[in-house]
Amino acid sequence: MPKLSAVCVAVLVLLGAPFAPAANAAGAPAAAEAAQPLAARLDAAIAPYYKADEPGATVIVVKDGQTVLRKGYGSADTASKTPMSADMAMRLGSITKQFTAVAILMLAEEGKLALTDDITRFLPDYPTRGKTITVEHLLTHTSGIVSYTSRPDYPLTMSRDVTVAQMIDSFKNDPLEFAPGTAYRYNNSGYFLLGAIIEKVSGQPYAKFLEQRIFVPLGMENTAYEGFERGKAPRAAGHTPGEKGFGPGAALSMSQPYAAGALVSTVDDLARWDAAIAGGRLLKPASWQRAFTPYKLADGNSTGYGYGWELDTLQGAQVVAHGGGINGFSTYALRVPEQKVFVAVLSNADGGVANAGVVASRAAAIAIGKPFPDFKEITLDAATLERYAGVYEVEKGVTRTFRRDGDSLSVQRSGRPPVRLKAYSQTGFFVPGGLDYFEFARNDKGQATSVTLYQGGKQHRQVRIGDAPPARAAVKIDHASFDTRVGRYQLAPNFVLALTREGDRYYAQATGQGKLEIFAQDETVFFARDIEAEVRFDGADSSYLVLHQNGRQIKAPRL
């Protein structure tokens, strides 16, 4: 399932991020705080993220082979008000991918496949359209195959049981998004196909192969493909946020995430897994090294992704990590090899609670002695905030726009929703609930000339290239005019956009997604503020609408 480090940016996806873990602005913690035992400092940093009556998380922090913190936070089941305990099992989501990758490498070491093999060696009927798609392309998300979870109709079909062949048939005829090896795009279809290859080569079901070759030898008795559990660890209930609090996670057949995300585990078993990796078990050193080496595209650029793991830095330290997002749960696990630190966070909510990656990163930073600061919000006057308003270039074709938003500042990256910031100094702003922060540079006239994003120990300087365009203004229209537009419009087979009105507010809701408020530009154009999308009508005609999003236009007839 989609990795958590690429956080969802809006409720209305249609055609398809708080910020990623970030750096430290304030330096070392106070001496008194540093004198606290490590476990106490970790607990003090993690506990505020979780409320007793809301979904929570299990957390483990291991340093130098010793468990420093192992604790449950929040509620394991909000309906029964069961508190979370550290031994509870949860869905891993895309952390599953590293187990699939290791299984592939085990088979490669046995000479049963090569990473350079064309996938048609194992899946002879797969249409590669004259291109060579290798096993390594699947491992590294560089195959160009469309990810089945990004298909518009996926929310409608995700609860259905399917065979491996049926799922592959559902996406194999989609056109490639790019030539294999030329680009990186996170892809669940690739790992689904790897599961099929494991079965073909080993002669065993994917679930059984992982059980016999990985979980049993490593003593991971509470790790399994969901539905094939062997252990007796209690299960935490999955949750999803709604208008009236948290409810059960949406139904999902575990035949669908399969080798891309169908495993369940505990933080204890993940610590055993990490110890096995540190000890060089299961694979030869060369294979482990290859798994932790970022793949390079045809143009020589690094993807920052190995085989089932992301490779990055945290506070200047090399990190091997992966997150997971799946119905009812969000997860993150990271290793800091040089400092011998491992952190896993398993949360039983798929949104609306603390980002598991943020919590894990904050804990890891404390464990390696380079903690993130606790920013203290201050208030700045309107004139100071206005100095920073403008457009700043991230890279060619990508910008960040800063605007004064009442008594604070907001930032919006191209194609993403705006995020409201809080000031911690006359020139510094942080992301509430995250770890990123921004520092503005000003000239001798006090005008902002650039902004630097501090993220994960890295600095990204972005030059101001112009004034911020005015925020899109909404106008009031006669509700009766909008009421003629209310209805259901078909964007794709089994994928509908519904327009509704509640009092003075207008909403759009796509199949399987939450409501998104929309605003009138005039009586024929309605836009969203949380994402870059709008719907247009042809004058008074409401027989169809045209959705404009991400540079695409889709004509949707009224049902």
Side-chain angles (χ1 to χ4, degrees):
M1 310 339 294
K3 58 185 179 181
L4 287 186
S5 55
V7 190
C8 294
V9 297
V11 176
L12 186 64
V13 178
L14 300 181
L15 306 179
F19 295 77
N24 185 343
E33 180 182 342
Q36 286 184 300
L38 178 55
R41 283 183 280 136
L42 288 165
D43 185 50
I46 296 168
Y49 285 96
Y50 303 103
K51 297 179 180 179
D53 60 348
E54 291 186 356
T58 58
V59 180
I60 195 165
V61 180
V62 180
K63 185 172 184 178
D64 294 323
Q66 301 298 314
T67 299
V68 179
L69 178 78
R70 176 183 178 273
K71 190 170 180 179
Y73 297 87
S75 176
D77 186 343
T78 58
S80 65
K81 300 182 179 180
T82 303
M84 184 71 76
S85 60
D87 60 344
M88 286 188 163
M90 299 189 218
R91 289 176 176 171
L92 293 183
S94 283
I95 292 177
T96 297
K97 290 180 171 65
Q98 56 198 249
F99 294 94
T100 299
V102 168
I104 287 288
L105 289 171
M106 294 172 79
L107 293 169
E109 287 189 350
E110 294 166 9
K112 296 179 179 178
L113 60 80
L115 303 187
T116 54
D117 283 339
D118 191 306
I119 63 172
T120 55
R121 175 185 170 189
F122 314 103
L123 308 169
D125 296 329
Y126 198 91
T128 59
R129 294 169 176 77
K131 305 292 185 181
T132 298
I133 301 176
T134 67
V135 173
E136 187 173 45
H137 288 145
L138 301 183
L139 286 166
T140 56
H141 305 288
T142 59
S143 67
I145 295 171
V146 173
S147 184
Y148 65 93
T149 52
S150 68
R151 294 166 58 93
D153 60 348
Y154 177 71
L156 291 176
T157 61
M158 63 185 178
S159 63
R160 300 175 187 170
D161 292 336
V162 294
T163 65
V164 172
Q166 286 172 335
M167 179 58 82
I168 293 174
D169 286 344
S170 76
F171 61 75
K172 71 179 184 182
N173 292 314
D174 290 342
L176 293 178
E177 295 184 299
F178 50 82
T182 64
Y184 169 92
R185 187 165 299 171
Y186 194 81
N187 187 333
N188 287 309
S189 295
Y191 272 78
F192 197 99
L193 293 172
L194 289 171
I197 290 172
I198 290 168
E199 293 194 353
K200 181 70 174 290
V201 172
S202 71
Q204 291 182 294
Y206 170 81
K208 183 59 68 174
F209 183 89
L210 264 61
E211 175 186 313
Q212 292 185 352
R213 299 294 302 276
I214 299 178
F215 305 146
V216 171
L218 298 184
M220 300 172 66
E221 66 178 47
N222 290 308
T223 305
Y225 190 126
E226 185 170 327
F228 298 88
E229 293 89 345
R230 310 174 325 282
K232 298 180 180 179
R235 284 289 299 270
H239 300 79
T240 194
E243 295 179 1
K244 298 181 180 179
F246 291 92
L252 174 67
S253 168
M254 297 309 287
S255 64
Q256 298 216 16
Y258 184 52
L263 298 185
V264 295
S265 188
T266 63
V267 292
D268 295 317
D269 270 6
L270 291 180
R272 292 185 179 94
W273 171 237
D274 180 71
I277 295 170
R281 298 183 64 183
L282 300 180
L283 297 173
K284 297 175 181 177
S287 294
W288 281 119
Q289 180 63 35
R290 196 165 182 179
F292 299 142
T293 299
Y295 181 77
K296 288 188 177 180
L297 300 173
D299 62 6
N301 287 323
S302 172
T303 62
Y305 197 96
Y307 300 162
W309 277 277
E310 294 178 286
L311 296 312
D312 207 338
T313 60
L314 177 74
Q315 299 292 65
Q318 294 295 317
V319 170
V320 180
H322 213 289
I326 192 168
N327 300 33
F329 301 86
S330 59
T331 62
Y332 205 86
L334 65 83
R335 349 182 17 244
V336 190
E338 290 186 4
Q339 285 82 357
K340 298 181 180 179
V341 166
F342 173 74
V343 180
V345 177
L346 305 182
S347 171
N348 63 330
D350 57 23
V353 186
N355 183 310
V358 169
V359 175
S361 297
R362 184 176 287 279
I366 292 171
I368 66 174
K370 297 181 180 179
F372 295 103
D374 289 322
F375 291 108
K376 304 300 181 184
E377 182 183 7
I378 66 171
T379 301
L380 299 181
D381 59 48
T384 301
L385 295 173
E386 288 289 358
R387 290 193 185 105
Y388 306 125
V391 179
Y392 299 74
E393 187 174 46
V394 177
E395 58 188 50
K396 187 175 180 180
V398 181
T399 61
R400 278 193 174 90
T401 300
F402 291 83
R403 292 187 176 90
R404 182 169 70 87
D405 185 1
D407 59 356
S408 65
L409 200 67
S410 70
V411 59
Q412 184 169 20
R413 181 175 167 131
S414 303
R416 298 182 184 178
V419 175
R420 196 166 185 175
L421 305 175
K422 293 184 178 181
Y424 63 85
S425 72
Q426 290 293 313
T427 58
F429 297 81
F430 67 96
V431 179
L435 300 174
D436 294 357
Y437 67 94
F438 297 90
E439 280 281 351
F440 287 91
R442 301 186 297 191
N443 59 22
D444 55 7
K445 296 180 180 179
Q447 300 166 328
T449 56
S450 66
V451 65
T452 299
L453 167 64
Y454 292 83
Q455 188 176 55
K458 300 176 183 178
Q459 300 179 23
H460 308 279
R461 182 174 178 269
Q462 296 150 16
V463 175
R464 189 180 190 277
I465 59 174
D467 295 334
R472 198 166 183 179
V475 301
K476 291 186 177 181
I477 63 172
D478 188 340
H479 292 323
S481 174
F482 182 79
D483 289 345
T484 65
R485 317 291 194 189
V486 168
R488 300 168 68 248
Y489 299 82
Q490 187 171 41
L491 294 168
N494 300 316
F495 194 61
V496 171
L497 180 66
L499 301 187
T500 58
R501 177 169 71 88
E502 296 179 11
D504 295 332
R505 303 173 74 177
Y506 308 146
Y507 294 93
Q509 184 171 21
T511 301
Q513 301 175 22
K515 290 182 180 178
L516 182 74
E517 187 168 9
I518 56 176
F519 304 86
Q521 175 178 301
D522 54 40
E523 292 189 343
T524 63
V525 179
F526 301 87
F527 64 92
R529 285 181 173 148
D530 287 345
I531 59 172
E532 293 181 0
E534 68 177 25
V535 293
R536 291 177 172 266
F537 292 90
D538 184 8
D541 185 5
S542 296
S543 64
Y544 68 91
L545 62 76
V546 179
L547 170 69
H548 295 251
Q549 188 182 16
N550 297 338
R552 296 175 61 186
Q553 300 180 23
I554 298 180
K555 184 176 181 179
R558 190 171 190 165
L559 296 176

